[in-house]
Amino acid sequence: MENILINNELIKKAMDSAHIGISITDPSLLDNPLVYVNDGFIKMTGYSSDEAIGKNCRFLQGKETSSRTVSRIRESLKNEKPFVTEIYNYRKNGTAFWNELHIEPVFIESEQKTYFIGIQKDITKQREYLDKISELSTPIVPINDHLSVLPLIGELTVKRSEELMNTVSSYAAQSGDQAIIVDLSGLIKVEKDEVARLLKLYSVLNMMGTELILTGVTPLLILETSTDLIAELSGIRTYMNVKQAIKAFN
């Protein structure tokens, strides 16, 4: 299959010189195959143009690729909506990398059809850095006999939320604290819908007789929260910072 869209030599050279991956798929063809990949895509994945074109992008997926992310990508393609995500992909040689993927539907008037343009960026080093930051999270710190603080640093991911649920609930059961402050001011990234797990943690602690107090709620957290969840969050005591929360509790 030929690169049917890039006929202008100047445009092709410009796309090939980009330090990111650029790909185009044609959903009017069976299985929405690639019809163009630039040199950045080839260098990033290790697959040649001949090996990639004509195939669906799923050949970059592997055993550790999130099925949830794949489903969200599939849904955005179905609805022809722009989409941005991070997905764990695999190169031809089997090594994995984190791919910051931007998908944009583009309608071509002359053909009366829509193509999908994909922009890929290898963010593996950035993700590794964030993981190291996350590991620096301070353990739960007792303030007094009735109150403790857990500062969160880095990212709030599915895995991190599950660990948070287990760690905090186990600590509450052992300490018998009246309240635990979870400080969110150190978060620099929040995965979509993970705020819902904070509400679940609030309910679990409430049944144990321990109050969950949130501090450092950032605009980032609000942006990643649905309107319904924001309404539910209003039932949790929230303060600008840990100092204010401790003062109010005492």
Side-chain angles (χ1 to χ4, degrees):
M1 187 179 296
E2 297 180 352
N3 289 344
I4 61 174
L5 294 181
I6 309 304
N7 298 317
N8 185 299
E9 185 178 357
L10 177 60
I11 296 176
K12 185 178 185 303
K13 285 185 177 180
M15 293 176 71
D16 282 341
S17 65
H19 297 295
I20 54 175
I22 300 175
S23 59
I24 302 174
T25 68
D26 184 350
S28 71
L29 300 177
L30 181 63
D31 206 24
N32 190 23
L34 290 161
V35 293
Y36 169 80
V37 293
N38 75 335
D39 286 350
F41 180 96
I42 293 169
K43 292 175 183 177
M44 185 184 303
T45 66
Y47 289 94
S48 68
S49 176
D50 289 340
E51 291 173 315
I53 291 177
K55 294 181 180 178
N56 184 284
C57 293
R58 74 173 65 90
F59 68 87
L60 296 175
Q61 298 170 18
K63 61 180 182 179
E64 296 296 327
T65 302
S66 167
S67 58
R68 180 182 176 188
T69 301
V70 173
S71 296
R72 291 172 65 192
I73 292 174
R74 189 181 299 118
E75 188 67 19
S76 71
L77 294 175
K78 178 182 176 182
N79 296 322
E80 296 188 356
K81 298 291 186 181
F83 189 69
V84 180
T85 190
E86 294 175 6
I87 184 169
Y88 203 54
N89 281 157
Y90 292 81
R91 299 182 179 89
K92 182 180 178 180
N93 64 7
T95 60
F97 68 100
W98 278 103
N99 178 8
E100 182 181 271
L101 175 63
H102 297 241
I103 300 174
E104 189 76 31
V106 176
F107 182 74
I108 304 300
E109 296 249 354
S110 60
E111 300 182 42
Q112 289 295 296
K113 62 189 287 189
T114 297
Y115 293 90
F116 290 107
I117 297 178
I119 307 295
Q120 296 88 17
K121 181 180 179 183
D122 185 347
I123 58 167
T124 306
K125 289 184 179 179
Q126 293 94 312
R127 287 289 303 229
E128 290 174 348
Y129 173 71
L130 289 176
D131 287 343
K132 288 180 181 179
I133 291 178
S134 296
E135 292 171 1
L136 295 176
S137 294
T138 308
I140 299 177
V141 180
I143 301 300
N144 53 44
D145 291 341
H146 309 292
L147 179 67
S148 298
V149 178
L150 171 62
L152 290 181
I153 303 172
E155 294 184 290
L156 185 60
T157 62
V158 174
K159 180 181 178 182
R160 189 97 183 276
S161 295
E162 292 174 350
E163 292 173 351
L164 178 67
M165 174 71 72
N166 294 331
T167 300
V168 176
S169 57
S170 296
Y171 179 87
Q174 295 174 14
S175 68
D177 278 352
Q178 291 180 15
I180 295 177
I181 299 170
V182 176
D183 182 49
L184 309 175
S185 59
L187 291 177
I188 58 178
K189 183 173 182 181
V190 180
E191 287 191 359
K192 190 173 180 61
D193 299 329
E194 287 314 300
V195 176
R197 292 179 187 264
L198 290 177
L199 290 168
K200 184 176 180 182
L201 176 60
Y202 170 75
S203 298
V204 170
L205 291 181
N206 195 43
M207 288 188 291
M208 298 170 64
T210 300
E211 180 184 5
L212 173 68
I213 299 173
L214 296 180
T215 61
V217 176
T218 64
L220 172 67
L221 192 72
I222 296 172
L223 286 172
E224 288 296 338
T225 307
S226 68
T227 304
D228 291 342
L229 286 180
I230 289 176
E232 291 186 52
L233 277 173
S234 64
I236 301 177
R237 275 211 283 176
T238 305
Y239 297 92
M240 290 289 293
N241 53 56
V242 174
K243 184 178 180 179
Q244 287 183 359
I246 293 174
K247 184 177 180 180
F249 185 80
N250 291 330

